[in-house]
CSV table of all heavy atoms in Angstrom, one decimal:
chain,number,residue,atom,x,y,z
A,80,ALA,N,86.7,90.0,109.9
A,80,ALA,CA,87.4,88.9,109.4
A,80,ALA,C,88.0,88.0,110.5
A,80,ALA,O,88.0,88.4,111.6
A,80,ALA,CB,88.7,89.4,108.6
A,81,LYS,N,88.3,86.8,110.1
A,81,LYS,CA,89.0,85.8,111.0
A,81,LYS,C,90.3,86.3,111.5
A,81,LYS,O,90.7,86.3,112.6
A,81,LYS,CB,89.1,84.4,110.4
A,81,LYS,CG,89.9,83.4,111.2
A,81,LYS,CD,90.2,82.2,110.4
A,81,LYS,CE,91.1,81.2,111.2
A,81,LYS,NZ,91.4,80.0,110.3
A,82,LYS,N,91.1,86.9,110.5
A,82,LYS,CA,92.4,87.3,110.8
A,82,LYS,C,92.9,88.3,109.7
A,82,LYS,O,92.4,88.2,108.6
A,82,LYS,CB,93.4,86.1,110.7
A,82,LYS,CG,94.9,86.4,110.8
A,82,LYS,CD,95.7,85.1,110.7
A,82,LYS,CE,97.2,85.2,110.8
A,82,LYS,NZ,97.9,84.0,110.5
A,83,VAL,N,93.6,89.3,110.1
A,83,VAL,CA,94.2,90.3,109.1
A,83,VAL,C,95.7,90.4,109.3
A,83,VAL,O,96.2,90.5,110.4
A,83,VAL,CB,93.5,91.7,109.3
A,83,VAL,CG1,94.0,92.6,108.2
A,83,VAL,CG2,92.0,91.6,109.3
A,84,VAL,N,96.4,90.4,108.2
A,84,VAL,CA,97.9,90.6,108.2
A,84,VAL,C,98.2,91.9,107.5
A,84,VAL,O,97.8,92.1,106.4
A,84,VAL,CB,98.5,89.4,107.5
A,84,VAL,CG1,100.1,89.6,107.4
A,84,VAL,CG2,98.2,88.1,108.1
A,85,GLY,N,98.8,92.8,108.3
A,85,GLY,CA,99.2,94.1,107.7
A,85,GLY,C,100.6,94.1,107.3
A,85,GLY,O,101.5,93.5,108.0
A,86,ILE,N,101.0,94.7,106.2
A,86,ILE,CA,102.4,94.8,105.7
A,86,ILE,C,102.7,96.2,105.4
A,86,ILE,O,102.0,96.8,104.5
A,86,ILE,CB,102.6,93.9,104.5
A,86,ILE,CG1,102.3,92.5,104.7
A,86,ILE,CG2,104.1,94.0,104.0
A,86,ILE,CD1,102.3,91.5,103.5
A,87,GLU,N,103.7,96.8,106.0
A,87,GLU,CA,104.0,98.2,105.8
A,87,GLU,C,105.6,98.4,105.9
A,87,GLU,O,106.2,97.8,106.8
A,87,GLU,CB,103.3,99.0,106.9
A,87,GLU,CG,103.7,100.5,107.0
A,87,GLU,CD,103.5,101.3,105.7
A,87,GLU,OE1,102.5,101.1,105.0
A,87,GLU,OE2,104.4,102.1,105.3
A,88,ILE,N,106.1,99.3,105.1
A,88,ILE,CA,107.6,99.4,105.0
A,88,ILE,C,108.1,100.4,106.1
A,88,ILE,O,109.3,100.4,106.4
A,88,ILE,CB,108.0,99.8,103.6
A,88,ILE,CG1,109.5,99.6,103.5
A,88,ILE,CG2,107.5,101.2,103.3
A,88,ILE,CD1,110.0,99.8,102.0
A,89,ILE,N,107.3,101.3,106.5
A,89,ILE,CA,107.8,102.4,107.4
A,89,ILE,C,107.6,101.9,108.9
A,89,ILE,O,106.5,101.7,109.4
A,89,ILE,CB,106.9,103.7,107.2
A,89,ILE,CG1,107.2,104.2,105.8
A,89,ILE,CG2,107.4,104.8,108.3
A,89,ILE,CD1,106.3,105.4,105.5
A,90,PRO,N,108.7,101.8,109.6
A,90,PRO,CA,108.7,101.3,111.0
A,90,PRO,C,107.8,102.1,112.0
A,90,PRO,O,107.1,101.6,112.8
A,90,PRO,CB,110.2,101.4,111.4
A,90,PRO,CG,111.0,101.3,110.2
A,90,PRO,CD,110.1,102.0,109.2
A,91,GLU,N,107.8,103.4,111.8
A,91,GLU,CA,107.0,104.3,112.6
A,91,GLU,C,105.5,103.9,112.5
A,91,GLU,O,104.8,103.8,113.5
A,91,GLU,CB,107.2,105.8,112.3
A,91,GLU,CG,106.3,106.7,113.1
A,91,GLU,CD,106.1,108.0,112.4
A,91,GLU,OE1,105.4,108.1,111.4
A,91,GLU,OE2,106.6,109.0,113.0
A,92,ALA,N,105.1,103.7,111.2
A,92,ALA,CA,103.7,103.3,111.0
A,92,ALA,C,103.4,102.0,111.6
A,92,ALA,O,102.2,101.8,112.1
A,92,ALA,CB,103.4,103.3,109.4
A,93,VAL,N,104.2,101.0,111.5
A,93,VAL,CA,104.0,99.7,112.1
A,93,VAL,C,103.9,99.8,113.6
A,93,VAL,O,103.0,99.1,114.2
A,93,VAL,CB,105.1,98.7,111.7
A,93,VAL,CG1,104.9,97.3,112.4
A,93,VAL,CG2,105.1,98.5,110.2
A,94,LYS,N,104.7,100.6,114.2
A,94,LYS,CA,104.7,100.8,115.6
A,94,LYS,C,103.3,101.4,116.1
A,94,LYS,O,102.7,100.9,117.0
A,94,LYS,CB,105.8,101.7,116.1
A,94,LYS,CG,105.9,101.9,117.6
A,94,LYS,CD,107.1,102.7,118.0
A,94,LYS,CE,107.2,103.0,119.5
A,94,LYS,NZ,108.4,103.8,119.8
A,95,ILE,N,102.8,102.4,115.3
A,95,ILE,CA,101.6,103.0,115.6
A,95,ILE,C,100.4,102.0,115.4
A,95,ILE,O,99.4,102.0,116.1
A,95,ILE,CB,101.4,104.3,114.6
A,95,ILE,CG1,102.4,105.4,115.1
A,95,ILE,CG2,99.9,104.8,114.7
A,95,ILE,CD1,102.5,106.5,114.1
A,96,ALA,N,100.5,101.2,114.3
A,96,ALA,CA,99.5,100.2,114.0
A,96,ALA,C,99.4,99.2,115.1
A,96,ALA,O,98.3,98.8,115.5
A,96,ALA,CB,99.8,99.5,112.7
A,97,ASP,N,100.5,98.8,115.6
A,97,ASP,CA,100.6,97.8,116.8
A,97,ASP,C,99.8,98.4,118.0
A,97,ASP,O,99.1,97.7,118.7
A,97,ASP,CB,102.0,97.4,117.1
A,97,ASP,CG,102.5,96.5,116.1
A,97,ASP,OD1,101.8,95.8,115.4
A,97,ASP,OD2,103.8,96.3,116.1
A,98,LYS,N,100.1,99.7,118.3
A,98,LYS,CA,99.4,100.4,119.4
A,98,LYS,C,97.9,100.5,119.1
A,98,LYS,O,97.1,100.3,120.0
A,98,LYS,CB,100.1,101.7,119.6
A,98,LYS,CG,99.4,102.5,120.8
A,98,LYS,CD,100.1,103.9,121.0
A,98,LYS,CE,99.6,104.5,122.3
A,98,LYS,NZ,98.2,104.7,122.3
A,99,LEU,N,97.6,100.8,117.9
A,99,LEU,CA,96.2,100.9,117.5
A,99,LEU,C,95.4,99.6,117.8
A,99,LEU,O,94.3,99.6,118.3
A,99,LEU,CB,96.1,101.3,116.0
A,99,LEU,CG,94.6,101.6,115.5
A,99,LEU,CD1,94.8,102.6,114.3
A,99,LEU,CD2,93.9,100.4,115.0
A,100,MET,N,96.0,98.5,117.4
A,100,MET,CA,95.4,97.2,117.7
A,100,MET,C,95.2,96.9,119.1
A,100,MET,O,94.2,96.4,119.6
A,100,MET,CB,96.2,96.0,116.9
A,100,MET,CG,96.4,96.2,115.5
A,100,MET,SD,94.9,96.7,114.6
A,100,MET,CE,95.6,97.4,113.1
A,101,LYS,N,96.2,97.2,119.9
A,101,LYS,CA,96.2,97.0,121.3
A,101,LYS,C,95.1,97.8,122.0
A,101,LYS,O,94.3,97.4,122.8
A,101,LYS,CB,97.6,97.3,122.0
A,101,LYS,CG,97.6,97.1,123.5
A,101,LYS,CD,99.0,97.5,124.0
A,101,LYS,CE,99.0,97.3,125.5
A,101,LYS,NZ,100.3,97.6,126.1
A,102,ASP,N,95.0,99.1,121.6
A,102,ASP,CA,94.1,100.1,122.1
A,102,ASP,C,92.6,99.7,121.8
A,102,ASP,O,91.7,100.0,122.5
A,102,ASP,CB,94.3,101.5,121.7
A,102,ASP,CG,95.6,102.0,122.3
A,102,ASP,OD1,96.2,101.5,123.2
A,102,ASP,OD2,96.1,103.1,121.7
A,103,ASN,N,92.4,99.0,120.7
A,103,ASN,CA,91.1,98.7,120.2
A,103,ASN,C,90.7,97.2,120.4
A,103,ASN,O,89.8,96.7,120.0
A,103,ASN,CB,90.9,99.0,118.8
A,103,ASN,CG,90.8,100.5,118.5
A,103,ASN,OD1,89.8,101.1,118.7
A,103,ASN,ND2,92.0,101.1,118.2
A,104,GLY,N,91.6,96.4,121.2
A,104,GLY,CA,91.3,95.1,121.6
A,104,GLY,C,91.4,94.1,120.4
A,104,GLY,O,90.6,93.2,120.3
Side-chain angles (χ1 to χ4, degrees):
K81 171 187 175 183
K82 175 182 176 183
V83 186
V84 178
I86 304 173
E87 170 59 43
I88 194 172
I89 298 175
E91 178 201 68
V93 176
K94 184 177 180 181
I95 292 170
D97 283 340
K98 183 178 186 302
L99 187 153
M100 302 313 158
K101 182 179 179 181
D102 291 347
N103 289 276

